[in-house]
Amino acid sequence: MEYKAPVESYSGVVREVVIGTGGKSLKIGGENILPFHFFDQGSNPNPPKYALEVVDMKPDDLPEHAVEPFRDVISDPVKWAKKCETFGVDAVSLFLMSTDPAVRDGSADAAARLVKEVAEAINVPLIVYGSGDEKKDVEVLSKVAETCRGMNLLVGPVVKENYETVGRAILDNGHAAIAQTPLDINLLKELNVKLSKFFPPERIVIDPLSSALGYGMEYSFSLIERVKQIGIMTRDSMTMMPIIANLGGECWKTKQAKESKKQGLLWEGITALSLLLAGANIVVLRHPETLGLIRETLEAR
Amino acid sequence: MVIIGENIHVIAKTVSTAIRERNAKVIQELAQAQAKAGADYIDLNVGPMKKDPEETMQWLVNTVQEVVDLPLSIDTMNPVAMEAGLKACKKRPLLNSASGKTESKELMLPLAKKYNCDVVISVMTDKGMPPDVDSKVESILDTVAYANELGIPNEDIWVDPIVLPVSTAGEGQRFAVACLEFIRILQDVLPGVKSTVGLSNVSNGVPTELRPLLNRTYLIMLQRHGLYSAIADPLDEELMKLVRGEMPKIVDLIGKVMDKEEVDLSRLTPQEVNYVKTAKVLLGETLYSDAWLET
């Protein structure tokens, strides 16, 4: 008898989130199939997207070989962002590290001005990450949202502690939100439920926290995988949002990535590939050569 | 359904203080309230009881027996306290609990035989908590066989599959489903045994005001699968009504959810909707979050 491979079909559809406006907009998510299940029924209209990360101050803990591609622009986030574009990114992610009270406690006004300048300078959508200090982010992200009104940035992290104020500012000024929870699927769903009470779910991107290879990546992997399965297979409305894996910073913090360039690229590359296989819809990387490596791996299939 | 009243429990500060200070009134009031609410047993959970185990347990048992007629469930990990408690009981007590751990087999199970009492045997072993149905079955078969050899018949054994918090990220819902399934097949595996669960643990870690709903729904689900008894809060009036058949509509509704029948939420009262949503969480059909009633 002829063997017929079983073909699965699924009932859930990940919401398609659009970021950016006009000619420089980007669609994330929208799939009704598990990641890389080419053999099943369904499709992913928006295959994985790639962003490179820009930091709003020269990060002092980056090894030489990670700084190298951006050495000439590392102190100028606008130029740094423009240089990212030359590597063919789908989006740029700007990390407002300097606003962290434990780093430089930079002002919300200055941060918002910079975000606007970067967003206007580039021809791809901009993702903005606050420092992660849940109190300071209220001030910073609200100001960013206001200053960049109507630009449809992807702004986060929106967390349990500040989702009401930050979410409101993001919504009122026409942006999309990154909902972030600490590696826990129940908390992830809870935040989406609460946020969705006033925030349209089709403008939410999930950030489950991405850990680097060897530093808890398997937790991120399992969680992303589970979120995808529950969304795609059981149609849980509150997990049917696209997922962002913001992993570049985490990878380049590791001892292994700092030791050598080759090791660093592989560390970032394997982490990114793994999380894409689990179901991430967009990955944020630091090194342009990692981006090349992943594209080559995935697109040469 | 036999309800073992859980409220005399050392984790409650009032109880531990009352025991330490030998304040009979506090304990007796708790016992009477539970008896009045319809409890069938009164659980005396004293924990490991490091200090004066014998004297303390005797005092506690006698204090409770002065005011209520119900049989007692002696709930301690300390075998010395256990023996003192069993010895002091006027009615046939429940030894709560033994397990498949070597220490428990050697020290607790022989007490059940010696005092000819009922005994709770959990699925726990030296290897820990068996997480799924198969491993729970395997471990309980071993331990019950051991108990039978000691001369304890199945009819005296109350099997406890160990209920864990449903809110535990990633696996809590799987555990909840596993216990349901275990209770469903228990009579086929070990004919004649009874069963019990520490019910409230299912809602551990959940916001306080939402806990009773999880406890009640889960108890009804377990009852439908043949659960014989539960260590639970008899002061939860709705729980007692449900389990005594005084709220048949809700019980039917939970049954429908368990049978995967379509339930039209728009035709239900808010209370009924909450029970349906909760049952679906406990069946692992919708992903748990603290906001499970809000979607």
Side-chain angles (χ1 to χ4, degrees):
Chain A
M1 213 173 92
E2 199 190 337
Y3 172 71
K4 205 156 170 272
V7 176
E8 301 282 341
S9 64
Y10 308 96
S11 55
V13 187
V14 173
R15 292 180 182 82
E16 188 174 73
V17 175
V18 181
I19 59 171
T21 55
K24 55 174 169 182
S25 68
L26 178 71
K27 290 175 181 170
I28 314 168
E31 74 268 30
N32 62 352
I33 191 166
L34 290 177
F36 300 96
H37 278 225
F38 309 112
F39 40 82
D40 281 342
Q41 211 171 32
S43 66
N44 183 357
N46 308 301
K49 303 294 180 228
Y50 310 99
L52 280 174
E53 184 172 46
V54 170
V55 186
D56 71 342
M57 55 181 271
K58 183 175 182 280
D60 43 17
D61 62 337
L62 269 187
E64 243 335 270
H65 52 266
V67 171
E68 181 219 308
F70 298 108
R71 191 191 319 276
D72 50 336
V73 294
I74 199 100
S75 300
D76 183 341
V78 179
K79 286 186 182 158
W80 185 350
K82 284 187 76 66
K83 191 159 190 182
C84 288
E85 275 191 280
T86 65
F87 298 108
V89 292
D90 298 303
V92 170
S93 180
L94 176 59
F95 176 32
L96 301 174
M97 181 194 264
S98 74
T99 62
D100 191 330
V103 182
R104 283 187 193 166
D105 203 14
S107 80
D109 284 339
R113 273 198 303 276
L114 174 68
V115 171
K116 191 167 187 206
E117 210 183 326
V118 172
E120 283 172 348
I122 55 176
N123 286 307
V124 291
L126 183 64
I127 301 165
V128 181
Y129 265 96
S131 65
D133 182 284
E134 75 215 26
K135 287 205 185 84
K136 184 70 185 289
D137 275 350
V138 171
E139 197 188 324
V140 173
L141 297 179
S142 302
K143 193 75 200 172
V144 165
E146 213 175 284
T147 306
C148 300
R149 187 176 174 87
M151 297 179 91
N152 194 18
L153 311 177
L154 179 56
V155 183
V158 173
V159 296
K160 184 174 85 194
E161 292 80 5
N162 64 20
Y163 75 96
E164 280 167 308
T165 38
V166 177
R168 186 59 72 184
I170 292 173
L171 176 67
D172 289 348
N173 292 289
H175 305 291
I178 299 168
Q180 187 184 72
T181 35
L183 286 173
D184 179 317
I185 194 159
N186 299 146
L187 295 178
L188 181 155
K189 179 171 174 181
E190 185 184 357
L191 179 60
N192 286 348
V193 170
K194 291 186 164 164
L195 191 56
S196 296
K197 289 197 171 161
F198 64 91
F199 199 101
E202 62 277 7
R203 280 162 69 185
I204 297 174
V205 174
I206 295 171
D207 178 351
L209 280 196
S210 296
S211 307
L213 175 62
Y215 296 81
M217 187 194 72
E218 54 278 33
Y219 291 96
S220 302
F221 185 98
S222 307
L223 182 56
I224 294 175
E225 186 184 41
R226 187 104 179 94
V227 170
K228 272 296 130 134
Q229 288 174 350
I230 287 177
I232 301 273
M233 298 167 77
T234 73
R235 269 180 72 191
D236 188 319
S237 169
M238 287 298 113
T239 65
M240 291 197 295
M241 289 88 166
I243 295 172
I244 184 167
N246 183 16
L247 58 97
E250 289 302 312
C251 290
W252 288 98
K253 258 189 234 164
T254 65
K255 175 172 155 279
Q256 292 77 4
K258 284 178 177 166
E259 269 171 13
S260 82
K261 179 176 169 186
K262 190 175 178 188
Q263 206 161 283
L265 293 179
L266 285 171
W267 221 261
E268 187 175 33
I270 289 170
T271 305
L273 268 178
S274 305
L275 300 185
L276 284 168
L277 285 169
N281 297 82
I282 180 165
V283 290
V284 180
L285 308 167
R286 274 277 171 90
H287 205 293
E289 286 182 50
T290 311
L291 174 57
L293 197 62
I294 299 173
R295 281 224 158 114
E296 199 182 321
T297 312
L298 289 184
E299 286 161 22
R301 66 181 169 85
Chain B
M1 174 78 66
V2 170
I3 296 291
I4 305 163
E6 70 182 2
N7 305 54
I8 300 178
H9 194 303
V10 278
I11 287 178
K13 193 112 204 295
T14 46
V15 172
S16 63
T17 310
I19 293 176
R20 197 172 55 245
E21 294 171 356
R22 299 288 187 267
N23 183 342
K25 191 161 167 272
V26 169
I27 300 293
Q28 289 177 336
E29 278 172 4
L30 269 174
Q32 283 170 312
Q34 294 182 85
K36 191 162 164 251
D40 303 290
Y41 278 74
I42 303 291
D43 192 57
L44 303 179
N45 185 325
V46 294
M49 221 180 218
K50 295 210 177 74
K51 233 181 109 210
D52 306 328
E54 277 185 274
E55 196 272 324
T56 309
M57 187 55 102
Q58 272 166 15
W59 174 82
L60 190 60
V61 168
N62 289 331
T63 300
V64 172
Q65 288 184 146
E66 273 173 28
V67 290
V68 296
D69 250 356
L70 297 175
L72 304 178
S73 154
I74 310 297
D75 192 346
T76 174
M77 290 87 99
N78 182 332
V80 177
M82 180 63 79
E83 180 152 14
L86 299 176
K87 215 187 274 181
C89 285
K90 291 183 199 153
K91 292 204 160 166
R92 190 168 195 251
L94 177 63
L95 187 162
N96 187 9
S97 65
S99 73
K101 288 185 169 180
T102 307
E103 205 193 341
S104 183
K105 280 173 162 173
E106 285 171 0
L107 299 175
M108 288 293 186
L109 282 179
L111 289 178
K113 174 67 190 163
K114 183 171 169 190
Y115 291 91
N116 181 32
C117 59
D118 284 341
V119 55
V120 175
I121 301 182
S122 84
V123 295
M124 197 77 86
T125 68
D126 289 332
K127 285 183 275 179
M129 224 301 285
D132 54 35
V133 177
D134 289 349
S135 55
K136 282 182 200 292
V137 166
E138 191 184 335
S139 92
I140 203 64
L141 282 174
D142 275 0
T143 314
V144 168
Y146 185 91
N148 292 157
E149 271 172 41
L150 289 179
I152 304 170
N154 279 5
E155 286 67 24
D156 290 353
I157 294 172
W158 302 26
V159 171
D160 177 2
I162 306 214
V163 165
L164 293 169
V166 72
S167 62
T168 308
E171 45 200 1
Q173 291 182 276
R174 269 211 312 274
F175 293 152
V177 173
C179 277
L180 276 174
E181 178 60 12
F182 179 88
I183 294 299
R184 193 181 70 77
I185 63 171
L186 184 61
Q187 283 309 313
D188 295 335
V189 176
L190 285 166
V193 293
K194 298 182 170 76
S195 54
T196 195
V197 293
L199 182 67
S200 306
N201 205 27
V202 78
S203 63
N204 221 334
V206 173
T208 315
E209 68 280 9
L210 296 173
R211 293 190 62 177
L213 186 60
L214 275 171
N215 297 344
R216 294 169 197 157
T217 311
Y218 200 45
L219 188 57
I220 293 307
M221 295 168 80
L222 288 161
Q223 185 177 36
R224 198 160 182 267
H225 279 340
L227 183 71
Y228 174 77
S229 77
I231 305 164
D233 178 10
L235 303 183
D236 179 343
E237 271 181 52
E238 194 162 319
L239 178 114
M240 295 303 277
K241 277 193 193 166
L242 278 165
V243 90
R244 303 286 189 235
E246 291 163 32
M247 296 175 74
K249 259 187 92 178
I250 301 278
V251 173
D252 278 359
L253 197 56
I254 294 173
K256 279 186 184 155
V257 178
M258 292 174 78
D259 293 339
K260 317 267 184 238
E261 276 182 43
E262 280 294 324
V263 176
D264 181 1
L265 291 185
S266 66
R267 305 182 57 156
L268 301 180
T269 66
Q271 183 200 33
E272 290 167 344
V273 169
N274 285 348
Y275 274 104
V276 170
K277 286 179 174 176
T278 307
K280 287 191 171 181
V281 163
L282 288 163
L283 286 169
E285 282 182 22
T286 39
L287 177 64
Y288 176 83
S289 85
D290 284 355
W292 86 90
L293 295 178
E294 296 168 41
T295 44

